[in-house]
Amino acid sequence: MPNLYFYIPADSVSKVIGLKGKHIKAMERDHRVTSRIFKEVDPFPPLKGGSTLTPSLWTAMLVSGTSKHVFSACRYIMTCIDDMGDIIIEYSMKKEHRQLFFHNNGLPIKRISALSNCRINIPVQNGPVQLECSNLDDAKMALDLV
């Protein structure tokens, strides 16, 4: 089950939540997912040297569930907002399966990246595999190819 993180404009958070949580509760119920909006802490903070004192124009959001439900929930959220920022999909993968990405000088990972226009981060030891994309369609394609 993947975790899908994406960024929404900070001034659109209220549109996603809705009056008394109406939109976000409906999205979770109808699409059978869980969600979280990171108002205080960004799960992917800026690199060293980046300022954390100025408020960000973007707010991170997480949607978790099955692949099918996560993407349908994100499409619903896109109807509530004008713009969606970068998308990061995280999921667990056994160490034996991670090694398959690096066969033939990394050809599988290069192929997936080229076809989906996504960056793929695979930790050598432990930790989730990450797919970083600029739009939802590319993210879906990358996850399907993996």
Side-chain angles (χ1 to χ4, degrees):
M1 290 186 15
N3 290 326
L4 198 146
Y5 294 87
F6 55 95
Y7 289 90
I8 57 176
D11 59 359
S12 295
V13 171
S14 61
K15 293 177 185 176
V16 173
I17 295 172
L19 186 62
K20 296 185 180 180
K22 177 183 170 186
H23 287 145
I24 201 159
K25 287 176 187 173
M27 182 264 308
E28 289 180 341
R29 180 188 65 243
D30 295 347
H31 298 279
R32 295 183 282 188
V33 296
T34 58
S35 66
R36 178 177 175 198
I37 296 177
F38 296 88
K39 293 180 191 173
E40 298 83 26
V41 179
D42 187 343
F44 302 100
L47 299 174
K48 275 188 174 179
S51 173
T52 58
L53 299 176
T54 56
S56 176
L57 299 175
W58 295 90
T59 300
M61 182 169 181
L62 163 67
V63 177
S64 299
T66 65
S67 179
K68 174 184 167 185
H69 294 130
V70 164
F71 283 99
S72 65
C74 287
R75 293 196 193 290
Y76 171 79
I77 291 167
M78 288 175 67
T79 65
C80 300
I81 59 177
D82 297 327
D83 194 12
M84 182 181 279
D86 290 340
I87 297 166
I88 300 169
I89 300 174
E90 283 189 343
Y91 63 95
S92 298
M93 180 182 278
K94 292 181 181 180
K95 190 173 182 179
E96 306 85 60
H97 294 144
R98 291 175 196 218
Q99 294 172 354
L100 297 175
F101 281 111
F102 301 104
H103 284 11
N104 297 328
N105 288 327
L107 187 61
I109 197 169
K110 292 174 186 173
R111 180 177 174 270
I112 293 168
S113 184
L115 291 173
S116 65
N117 200 26
C118 292
R119 184 179 357 194
I120 303 168
N121 299 315
I122 304 171
V124 176
Q125 297 298 320
N126 294 325
V129 172
Q130 293 181 336
L131 307 173
E132 296 180 36
C133 309
S134 60
N135 68 61
L136 202 55
D137 293 329
D138 287 345
K140 175 83 169 92
M141 180 187 291
L143 188 60
D144 290 344
L145 288 169
V146 169

